Amino acid sequence: MDQLKKLFQNISITGRIWIAAAILGAIGGITALAHWNQERDFKPLFTGVAAEDAGPLLAALRASATDYRLADNGATILVPSGRVAELRIEMASAGLPKSGRIGFELFDRNNFGASEFAEQVNYHRAIEGELERSVMSIREVEQARVHITLAKESLYTEQREPAKASVLVKLRHQAGLSPQNIAAICQLTASAVPGLSADQVSLVDTNGNLLNRPRPAAGADEESSIAALDYRKSVEAELQKKISATLEPLLGADHFRAGVSADVDLTSGEQSEEVFDPQKSVMVSSQRSDDGPAIQAASGVPGTASNLPRPAVKPTTGSSNYQRHTENISYQTSRVVKHTKLPQGAVKRLSLSVLVDHTIRWEKQKKIVEPPSAEKLKVIHDLVAAAAGVDTARGDQLVVEAFPFETTLNAEPVALETPAPAPQTNTLPLPKWMTARALIVAGIGAAAMLALAAGFVLMRRRARRKTLVEAASQAAIEAGGEKPALPTPEELQKQIEGKMAEQQAERTRQEVEALLALKVPVVKTKKTEVLVKHIAAETKKDAAQLSHVIRTWLHG
């Protein structure tokens, strides 16, 4: 302690001030670090909370003695990360948040003093709140507001007013409502309100865009025209898509153009037809009646005359017998009764056109445009007819024509890899196997072989040098009887170089004598001659470039 006191007393006032400032800074830094460590543990419990929902949520958090923080101007509530899941379950069980509007829980408490008008207003509010919750349950919708005008009933037709509704939605970031979602929201709203049809629902987003197109009354000419045009476009787009998918593998995406025109029948109804066939008839009923005996009986004395088949009739003197015969037969011809329901949107006639591009080829930098052959056009015609379902009996028309496109006519010549033709010389053309890549590979192979040869020569020189040293030492030992003193490295190097020079000269002399004795002419293959002539010609054209190539080989 005494030493610390003496040390502190020896420090100047300025030093004491700096020490105090450092201590205070350290304390402040530690405090800030502890506060930051405590604050970073807070995670969002709810984001985008409405102002009317924030109050009940904060009251519930205070009642549970939970520490919380507010961010984004009160739209985000932060709680300790360890209790996020627990608090969400507790808030959900308490019915929080309520998305800013209350539903039918408005009637949980009985209010006996409320008037009929107040009850009607509360019912109106409850329907709007429930619809808002239902619309917000869609994934793309972040917030929703629903306003309903109930139908006005009256004994007089001209004083009746239909129910109407407007829905305002706030979509999530980079989210959009598909036509199916828009129709579903309108149908959902119309089904929840008595007397409300989906045509009377207006759906608007927070940017002021009308998402569903208002529909006029049923049977209006404008609505029918728009529906017919949309259906016709969809049929034509589908047929054009089929044609493109069929011809792209054959011609390519940029070498044909297809057009479709469809005539559709949007009328619908029922047709009854009854056909009678006179060639086919059948007996339906038959009636026959006979009254009284009308058969003449034979009479007279028994004998031959009375037993004849047609006896003579004698006039009677009394009342005569009577006879009445009636027959009634009814015939019915066969008939066929048909009840046909005509569908809407049947295709009455198709008109299709396909334009095929020409092909080009180059010959010595000259462009040649070639039209497709008749067989190819016939194949294209058959493919398109089968893909689009062309029916000539219905009056369908398909035209396939070939014409060069503008891009084909303005096509630039492709860059050729072959070099420009050399001037007239006696050199032969370079063979196909002598390409640039082949020359580079051959150069690399030659450099590798040279490196191997050089390594082999060095190894032989070292082995020969070692052999000469050992032989000299052995000879000296045999001559003097004892091991002589080793020569210096310089002397040894000179001796070895002299010996190697003598051996090399002797070997060269022997090789020359052997060649002179043989007198064999130098053999040159045809490929070697071609290569030599081509290299000579290239050297005359561009010696610098060829020297650069050879230098690259040597470096490699």
Side-chain angles (χ1 to χ4, degrees), residues 182-201:
I182 295 173
I185 292 175
C186 296
Q187 191 65 33
L188 174 67
T189 306
S191 301
V193 180
L196 178 61
S197 61
D199 299 339
Q200 301 298 325
V201 179

Side-chain angles (χ1 to χ4, degrees), residues 153-211:
E153 301 293 340
S154 176
L155 296 176
Y156 301 99
T157 306
E158 62 273 6
Q159 294 182 358
R160 295 177 183 176
E161 295 181 2
K164 298 179 182 179
S166 60
V167 182
L168 178 66
V169 294
K170 179 181 179 182
L171 304 179
R172 300 187 185 277
H173 181 61
Q174 294 183 351
L177 291 176
S178 62
Q180 292 81 4
N181 298 139
I182 295 173
I185 292 175
C186 296
Q187 191 65 33
L188 174 67
T189 306
S191 301
V193 180
L196 178 61
S197 61
D199 299 339
Q200 301 298 325
V201 179
S202 299
L203 183 60
V204 186
D205 62 2
T206 52
N207 295 326
N209 300 321
L210 182 62
L211 302 181

Side-chain angles (χ1 to χ4, degrees), residues 261-274:
S261 177
D263 186 8
V264 296
D265 186 9
L266 294 177
T267 60
S268 62
E270 294 184 0
Q271 181 180 2
S272 297
E273 183 180 3
E274 188 174 0

Side-chain angles (χ1 to χ4, degrees), residues 118-138:
E119 292 290 339
Q120 187 67 22
V121 172
N122 290 337
Y123 176 71
H124 194 171
R125 293 173 56 196
I127 292 179
E128 291 179 349
E130 293 292 339
L131 283 174
E132 288 178 6
R133 295 177 183 176
S134 300
V135 174
M136 289 176 61
S137 62
I138 299 176

Side-chain angles (χ1 to χ4, degrees), residues 335-555:
R335 64 172 183 169
V336 178
V337 180
K338 295 182 180 180
H339 295 281
T340 306
K341 186 175 182 180
L342 301 177
Q344 187 177 11
V347 178
K348 295 193 299 184
R349 186 173 178 271
L350 288 177
S351 297
L352 301 96
S353 63
V354 179
L355 183 63
V356 184
D357 190 13
H358 286 193
T359 58
I360 58 174
R361 61 184 179 89
W362 301 89
E363 290 186 359
K364 298 180 181 180
Q365 302 298 320
K366 183 180 179 181
K367 180 170 59 176
I368 299 177
V369 181
E370 296 180 347
S373 60
E375 293 79 6
K376 189 174 183 179
L377 293 178
K378 179 66 169 55
V379 170
I380 295 173
H381 184 280
D382 296 342
L383 288 175
V384 174
V390 176
D391 187 5
T392 55
R394 189 175 54 186
D396 296 348
Q397 183 181 7
L398 173 59
V399 178
V400 180
E401 294 292 340
F403 196 83
F405 290 0
E406 190 70 18
T407 55
T408 303
L409 295 176
N410 298 332
E412 297 294 335
V414 295
L416 301 178
E417 296 183 358
T418 57
Q424 295 292 335
T425 59
N426 296 327
T427 59
L428 297 177
L430 187 66
K432 294 183 178 179
W433 59 273
M434 293 297 294
T435 58
R437 173 179 282 183
L439 292 176
I440 294 173
V441 172
I444 294 174
M449 294 179 65
L450 290 175
L452 292 175
F456 180 72
V457 171
L458 290 176
M459 290 177 64
R460 290 194 62 184
R461 284 184 179 180
R462 290 178 181 177
R464 188 175 300 167
R465 182 183 303 172
K466 185 176 180 181
T467 304
L468 291 175
V469 171
E470 292 178 353
S473 300
Q474 186 67 26
I477 291 172
E478 292 178 355
E482 59 182 2
K483 186 177 180 181
L486 294 175
T488 60
E490 291 80 5
E491 295 176 353
L492 182 61
Q493 180 69 23
K494 290 180 180 180
Q495 295 177 4
I496 293 172
E497 288 179 355
K499 190 68 176 176
M500 292 180 64
E502 293 177 358
Q503 293 180 357
Q504 184 67 27
E506 181 66 21
R507 189 181 299 107
T508 303
R509 185 182 61 78
Q510 293 177 0
E511 290 178 356
V512 171
E513 291 178 355
L515 289 175
L516 292 176
L518 292 175
K519 296 182 180 180
V520 178
V522 180
V523 180
K524 293 185 180 180
T525 61
K526 186 177 181 181
K527 292 183 179 180
T528 306
E529 294 176 357
V530 171
L531 181 59
V532 170
K533 292 181 180 180
H534 181 74
I535 292 176
E538 292 294 331
T539 306
K540 291 180 181 180
K541 289 194 299 181
D542 193 353
Q545 183 177 3
L546 188 61
S547 63
H548 178 70
V549 173
I550 296 175
R551 192 180 298 112
T552 305
W553 292 354
L554 294 176
H555 285 300

Side-chain angles (χ1 to χ4, degrees), residues 254-292:
D254 299 330
H255 296 285
F256 74 95
R257 293 293 182 270
V260 180
S261 177
D263 186 8
V264 296
D265 186 9
L266 294 177
T267 60
S268 62
E270 294 184 0
Q271 181 180 2
S272 297
E273 183 180 3
E274 188 174 0
V275 180
F276 291 91
D277 189 0
Q279 301 296 330
K280 297 180 182 180
S281 60
V282 64
M283 184 175 64
V284 178
S285 62
S286 176
Q287 185 179 1
R288 181 178 180 179
S289 61
D290 294 327
D291 294 338

